[in-house]
Amino acid sequence: MTTMSIVVTGATGQLGRLTVEALLRRGVPAADIIATGRDVVRIKDLADRGVTVRRADFADADGLVEAFAGADRLLLVSASVPVGERVANHRRVIDAAVSAGVSLVAYTSTTHADTATTVLGATHRETEEYLRERGVPGVLLRNSWYLENYTSQLPQILRSGAVVGAAREGRISAASRADYAEAAAVVLATEGHTGAVYELGGDESFTLAELATAISAASGKRIAHSDLPVTDLDQVLASAGLPAELAGVLADADRGMSLGEMYTDSGDLRRLIGRPPVTLAEALAVALPRH
């Protein structure tokens, strides 16, 4: 167990927040954790529990250096801002970490970022490359898709009776946010991870057709699978009210899935967290409680 100071970016978001909670559960003293985000009011409860809370805006280079002052290790949770601004934001965080004298940067990337063909994959690859260029000791946490990306859609899926996508027969090694956060906490709080590249995902992969079958079994309602061309999925998502850029990025992500870019059988997540990751069936059972 480390007694070093650990900074978590994006602690106001879901993955960052879960990582702070995982660090606390692992016995990292609250005083050794620096939780950062743009809107610190959202993490006031962490400050009440003894965690140091600091404002950090990825667009504010000077503010980042101040936010990271005194930190030994840093988790860079990839920004969810417009994709076009992502890499510049990540570079500012890495530069600030260097200026603050941080000795290890862990970065939440994506599976197979070095070869991924997607728009998202390119942003992760460029960030990984910059981390290497700056010479900061790093750990790459290449997270596959979140199970929550699907469980959060359950109301719409049940209403429409279909899982709609463009991933064809691509297998997806999705895992829960909490399990990815647990892995990040392990890397931040223990030794021996410097330079590691972890391909993280669930033990049980599934296709979107298998997802539809699993939802059918869990809900008792027959759910179909509709596989569309990527351009059609883009239009469906946009017509459902998603911003045009996000619709395009998500449709493109499905295209990457069809090529196996969200599949991994590395077992890295299970080894890091010391137990089997939450499965799709388990996630659906929680999201669809039986009455």
Side-chain angles (χ1 to χ4, degrees), residues 56-67:
D57 184 337
F58 283 11
D60 175 10
D62 293 338
L64 290 172
V65 178
E66 289 176 30

Side-chain angles (χ1 to χ4, degrees), residues 137-150:
V139 184
L140 302 180
L141 300 165
R142 289 180 170 173
N143 295 342
S144 181
W145 221 225
Y146 297 141
L147 285 170
E148 288 86 354
N149 290 350
Y150 298 118

Side-chain angles (χ1 to χ4, degrees), residues 91 124-134:
R91 285 178 173 175
H124 288 299
R125 181 165 54 253
E126 287 179 51
T127 302
E128 289 186 5
E129 288 169 354
Y130 193 69
L131 194 55
R132 281 192 292 273
E133 280 172 30
R134 291 306 315 258

Side-chain angles (χ1 to χ4, degrees), residues 1-9 11 16 19-24 26-36 46 50-54 67-77 102-106 141 181 183-191 193:
M1 183 62 63
T2 182
T3 55
M4 296 192 296
S5 181
I6 298 168
V7 63
V8 177
T9 71
T19 302
V20 172
E21 298 287 359
L23 287 167
L24 290 167
R26 294 188 64 81
V28 176
D32 290 347
I33 302 171
I34 303 167
T36 71
L46 291 176
V51 173
T52 299
V53 168
R54 295 178 184 166
F68 302 161
D72 298 294
R73 296 183 176 184
L74 180 142
L75 177 66
L76 168 49
V77 176
V102 169
S103 61
L104 181 76
V105 173
L141 300 165
V186 169
V187 163
L188 292 165
T190 61
E191 302 302 324
H193 304 284

Side-chain angles (χ1 to χ4, degrees), residues 38-106:
R38 271 189 304 187
D39 181 8
V40 293
V41 172
R42 293 170 61 183
I43 47 176
K44 181 185 178 297
D45 63 302
L46 291 176
D48 294 341
R49 290 155 66 186
V51 173
T52 299
V53 168
R54 295 178 184 166
R55 186 174 188 278
D57 184 337
F58 283 11
D60 175 10
D62 293 338
L64 290 172
V65 178
E66 289 176 30
F68 302 161
D72 298 294
R73 296 183 176 184
L74 180 142
L75 177 66
L76 168 49
V77 176
S78 53
S80 56
V81 294
V83 173
E85 297 170 27
R86 250 184 155 189
V87 177
N89 279 329
H90 293 168
R91 285 178 173 175
R92 276 189 287 272
V93 172
I94 293 165
D95 289 343
V98 172
S99 297
V102 169
S103 61
L104 181 76
V105 173

